[in-house]
Amino acid sequence: MSVRRFSILKLTLKVVLVFIILMLVVGPFVGIAIWSFARVWYWPSPIPQELTLRYWSEVFRQGRVLDSLILSLKIALLTVGFSIAIAIPAAYAFARYRLPAERILLFLFLMPQAFPQLPVFINLARIFGKMGLRGNMWGIVMAHTMASLVFSLWIITATFKSIPLELEQAAQNLGASRWRVFWTITFPLGIPGVIAGAIHVFLWSMGEFNAAFFIGAPFIQTAPVLMYTASAGYNMQIASVIAIVLMIPSLLFMFVIERFLKAEYIAGIGG
Amino acid sequence: MVVLKTEGLKKYYGDVKALDDVSVEIEEGELLAVIGPSGSGKTTLLRSVAGFVQLDGGKIYIRGRDVTDLPPEKRNVAMFFQNYALWPHMTVFENVAYGLKVRKLSKEKIREKVEWVLNFLDIGHLANRKPSQLSGGQQQRVALARAIVVEPDLLLLDEPLSNLDAKIRMRIRFELRSMLKKLNIATLYVTHDQEEALSIADRIAVMSNGKILQVGEPREIYRKPVNLFVADFVGVNCVVRARPEAVRKLGIAVPEGAEELSLVIRAEEAVLSRYNASIEKTPHDLLLNGVIVGRLYLGAKTRYEVKLQELDDNIFINSEEDFQLNEPVQVLVKEGSYFLYA
């Protein structure tokens, strides 16, 4: 009997644990999803008193949301491009060479993340204002590139470091130039890290608010900024719709890239 | 023709001398094995010839061409890495073809050569596999194929058999030697396994602390070691520290003025027999009395620990005969199987 009681206790604990995890992971999403269809929803009712599709149609009719979504997407993709393009050579240098000012350089890359984001971007906005980069997509791209370099650089550096030096030496030994060694050995083997860095930068840029707000506003609005404005006006429904729409490109991006990652590389890297 | 010639190579890591005035030569088609314990500098020597070590002095010539300051990619020496260093993202075929592609051979020529070398090494059927799908022995062959397919001036082998298990290693020794002889390629072979070197090499260089102590044919290294280190490192030995008087009593000429001597006994050649057995010996053979103090059953043989009366030390000898603990025995060490150093 005692054995059985014990197992029931264990089962109960398991169920509660799974429930808590579900609440944490899925809960917020479910809340947002319900909100996006709610017309009237007063506490303590678990579901809305009245449902409507009005906010969904409103969001898409206005075009504003779609525009800001496309803007966010453009910014994120450009940021990924620049950030990765700068990070790859820099990461290789950090991973393979003893740089004279390595610590200082690494610190420089850390700078944008080392301080509270808000003052950093407010100051950056002032500087960009003088340079005519305010209210301009490129200003946000630049800010995002600078701030996201930490992620891409760290991830890609770690990946390059994990590639045994001997794999490069073997290629060099067979007559390949440094350049050729990089493009035929190091880079292909480092692609999982590059992709991981790209995903991270993309997601971060898509959701970034501070820089987008202070540098872009009021002329251009990225999706998170629009969401903020909407929810600041106590329009939970509009904000919820945008939140859901905002998730779509991120999910797609991750899905596509993970597919690519699995098929091509994970098997090979294992050995 | 001399393929590789190094002159007075020097390399220091702080106070440690990894290479201390190292000069070696390898002839066309010759297999030179460099042996020594870890930290002796043998791998540093190999890597300097490949161009991966910045030397502190000395010159390296390959076929008379001074390559000391050339980068690794311009030396035309092919290296076999101890851990194989196969590229995991390429198939066996692509791995082997890499060096040929770099040399800008035509597609047909590359296919022809790669297929030839894969078949030569008996791994033709693995061409489309990835390295992670191969066994250790197969990976070893691919690494070898990748190195020899480019027809280098010199082949550098870094502990090529160390990652294989003991049984395969024995068999591969023969194959490797006959294969290298068939290709007639000059080879620098680094290993810590003296037995492997004796069986595979044309000549052996023994290194310790960055210095080459002796270079010679395997027989010469085994029979005429120039100093205590070489004598002890090559073969299976027991080193007995003894006072000159004790050694003189055994009937061996003792160098003058030495306070303590080291007697190296090739334990693998010493013969154990019962104390009352009559033994034929020449004046230069060494006959020692002792007592069995320990035994370890090994299957075909038994390993005995023998306490030597005259030398007051213990040595280990294998024998097929059966001796009991505390049984008095005689140990016969033939001339040429023991060495005395001051």
Side-chain angles (χ1 to χ4, degrees):
Chain A
M1 272 311 268
S2 70
V3 173
R4 206 182 138 172
R5 235 170 51 206
F6 181 66
S7 74
I8 284 175
L9 183 71
K10 239 166 100 176
L11 188 71
T12 318
L13 276 174
K14 260 189 201 163
V15 169
V16 169
L17 197 72
V18 168
F19 188 72
I20 289 174
I21 290 171
L22 274 178
M23 283 283 283
L24 287 174
V25 176
V26 186
F29 177 76
V30 173
I32 287 173
I34 297 175
W35 256 120
S36 72
F37 294 105
R39 187 181 160 89
V40 185
W41 192 6
Y42 292 118
W43 196 83
S45 163
I47 50 160
Q49 282 83 0
E50 271 182 63
L51 291 172
T52 176
L53 280 173
R54 208 185 85 199
Y55 299 104
W56 280 91
S57 66
E58 197 172 301
V59 161
F60 283 101
R61 224 179 13 217
Q62 276 179 358
R64 202 157 62 113
V65 175
L66 217 58
D67 284 351
S68 67
L69 201 67
I70 288 168
L71 179 70
S72 276
L73 206 61
K74 266 193 202 162
I75 290 173
L77 287 174
L78 284 167
T79 302
V80 167
F82 286 124
S83 186
I84 297 295
I86 297 170
I88 286 174
Y92 189 74
F94 278 123
R96 285 291 186 246
Y97 298 101
R98 286 209 167 157
L99 303 176
E102 194 169 316
R103 283 171 166 274
I104 297 170
L105 279 170
L106 262 178
F107 184 69
L108 266 178
F109 281 114
L110 257 171
M111 285 280 267
Q113 303 286 340
F115 301 103
Q117 300 272 291
L118 210 58
V120 170
F121 287 127
I122 292 175
N123 273 313
L124 197 66
R126 265 201 8 217
I127 300 168
F128 276 13
K130 284 181 195 149
M131 296 164 68
L133 281 168
R134 242 182 124 174
N136 180 327
M137 183 182 79
W138 294 102
I140 302 177
V141 170
M142 267 183 77
H144 279 189
T145 302
M146 278 190 269
S148 70
L149 264 179
V150 175
F151 314 134
S152 47
L153 192 67
W154 272 45
I155 295 170
I156 299 173
T157 302
T159 311
F160 282 159
K161 269 192 180 157
S162 74
I163 298 171
L165 187 60
E166 286 192 343
L167 294 184
E168 291 180 10
Q169 289 180 333
Q172 220 187 338
N173 175 256
L174 290 172
S177 63
R178 295 276 166 131
W179 184 250
R180 187 172 188 136
V181 171
F182 180 80
W183 286 113
T184 55
I185 309 294
T186 323
F187 182 71
L189 289 174
I191 282 180
V194 173
I195 286 173
I199 291 179
H200 200 103
V201 170
F202 181 85
L203 295 182
W204 179 81
S205 171
M206 281 296 285
E208 203 280 335
F209 173 77
N210 291 324
F213 182 77
F214 288 107
I215 294 166
F219 310 104
I220 59 170
Q221 279 189 322
T222 63
V225 174
L226 185 70
M227 203 170 101
Y228 171 80
T229 334
S231 57
Y234 289 101
N235 197 335
M236 266 310 281
Q237 289 90 337
I238 296 280
S240 299
V241 173
I242 298 172
I244 290 170
V245 175
L246 195 54
M247 268 184 229
I248 295 167
S250 304
L251 284 174
L252 271 179
F253 189 77
M254 275 175 72
F255 180 75
V256 167
I257 250 161
E258 212 205 14
R259 258 292 135 97
F260 175 60
L261 190 85
K262 268 188 190 143
E264 271 300 303
Y265 290 100
I266 288 178
I269 299 297
Chain B
M1 186 194 177
V2 177
V3 176
L4 171 73
K5 183 175 175 187
T6 73
E7 275 180 5
L9 298 187
K10 290 185 182 66
K11 175 68 192 174
Y12 311 123
Y13 293 106
D15 289 340
V16 181
K17 290 178 173 173
L19 295 178
D20 190 5
D21 202 11
V22 172
S23 302
V24 292
E25 273 190 23
I26 300 181
E27 297 276 328
E28 191 85 70
E30 187 187 31
L31 208 170
L32 175 74
V34 179
I35 58 174
S38 55
S40 60
K42 54 190 193 306
T43 301
T44 308
L45 171 62
L46 187 92
R47 296 177 59 80
S48 336
V49 175
F52 295 124
V53 173
Q54 196 85 44
L55 287 168
D56 293 317
K59 290 271 178 208
I60 300 172
Y61 301 93
I62 292 171
R63 290 193 190 280
R65 182 173 66 128
D66 183 353
V67 300
T68 316
D69 299 317
L70 286 184
E73 64 266 27
K74 299 218 170 101
R75 297 193 175 197
N76 198 30
V77 297
M79 181 157 165
F80 172 101
F81 290 77
Q82 187 175 2
N83 299 320
Y84 310 142
L86 298 176
W87 300 302
H89 59 303
M90 297 184 195
T91 62
V92 167
F93 185 94
E94 289 164 337
N95 264 280
V96 177
Y98 190 89
L100 300 173
K101 262 191 213 160
V102 171
R103 283 164 174 72
K104 297 199 172 64
L105 267 66
S106 70
K107 270 215 163 114
E108 303 83 68
K109 199 84 190 144
I110 290 176
R111 176 159 293 280
E112 189 184 304
K113 282 189 175 241
V114 173
E115 272 168 9
W116 176 82
V117 79
L118 291 182
N119 289 329
F120 179 72
L121 289 172
D122 227 7
I123 44 174
H125 57 294
L126 303 174
N128 295 318
R129 300 256 189 101
K130 288 272 175 77
S132 56
Q133 300 166 301
L134 304 178
S135 70
Q138 291 168 334
Q139 290 184 12
Q140 187 240 19
R141 278 156 189 265
V142 176
L144 205 56
R146 188 176 68 178
I148 61 179
V149 77
V150 296
E151 295 170 29
D153 286 324
L154 178 69
L155 188 62
L156 305 172
L157 303 179
D158 187 6
E159 304 261 6
L161 306 183
S162 66
N163 281 337
L164 302 173
D165 54 59
K167 267 188 185 164
I168 299 179
R169 207 182 306 162
M170 288 294 204
R171 187 167 55 80
I172 302 272
R173 265 185 210 167
F174 294 103
E175 284 185 25
L176 188 59
R177 175 164 171 91
S178 71
M179 192 206 83
L180 292 172
K181 285 292 139 191
K182 232 184 265 174
L183 292 168
N184 195 34
I185 185 169
T187 306
L188 180 63
Y189 187 112
V190 162
T191 176
H192 65 274
D193 184 340
Q194 47 89 19
E195 194 188 314
E196 188 178 302
L198 289 172
S199 61
I200 226 169
D202 296 318
R203 280 193 308 142
I204 292 175
V206 185
M207 276 189 90
S208 170
N209 293 327
K211 273 193 161 54
I212 289 193
L213 302 178
Q214 186 174 4
V215 185
E217 288 174 14
R219 259 168 223 288
E220 192 184 332
I221 297 279
Y222 190 77
R223 286 297 166 208
K224 290 173 186 153
V226 294
N227 60 23
L228 174 61
F229 182 89
V230 177
D232 186 23
F233 189 76
V234 178
V236 178
N237 306 292
C238 289
V239 181
V240 178
R241 309 283 286 169
R243 305 198 55 78
E245 309 89 72
V247 177
R248 204 171 286 129
K249 269 186 212 158
L250 297 170
I252 314 174
V254 173
E256 289 296 316
E259 291 209 344
E260 201 184 27
L261 297 169
S262 297
L263 180 65
V264 180
I265 296 172
R266 291 256 187 269
E268 55 197 359
E269 293 183 311
V271 180
L272 212 55
S273 51
R274 301 194 189 279
Y275 80 104
N276 53 6
S278 68
I279 292 164
E280 274 181 43
K281 74 179 268 287
T282 70
H284 296 292
D285 293 346
L286 201 58
L287 192 60
L288 305 163
N289 293 303
V291 177
I292 304 281
V293 292
R295 40 182 286 168
L296 195 63
Y297 182 62
L298 300 175
K301 290 188 172 184
T302 307
R303 185 173 177 76
Y304 295 100
E305 184 176 4
V306 181
K307 185 172 164 60
L308 299 175
Q309 268 168 22
E310 295 91 339
L311 296 170
D312 195 26
D313 207 339
N314 294 5
I315 65 173
F316 295 88
I317 299 172
N318 294 349
S319 175
E320 292 168 21
E321 275 188 73
D322 194 31
F323 297 97
Q324 300 306 313
L325 275 180
N326 298 320
E327 185 178 343
V329 288
Q330 302 182 86
V331 180
L332 177 68
V333 189
K334 290 247 177 204
E335 184 185 5
S337 297
Y338 65 89
F339 311 96
L340 193 64
Y341 300 98

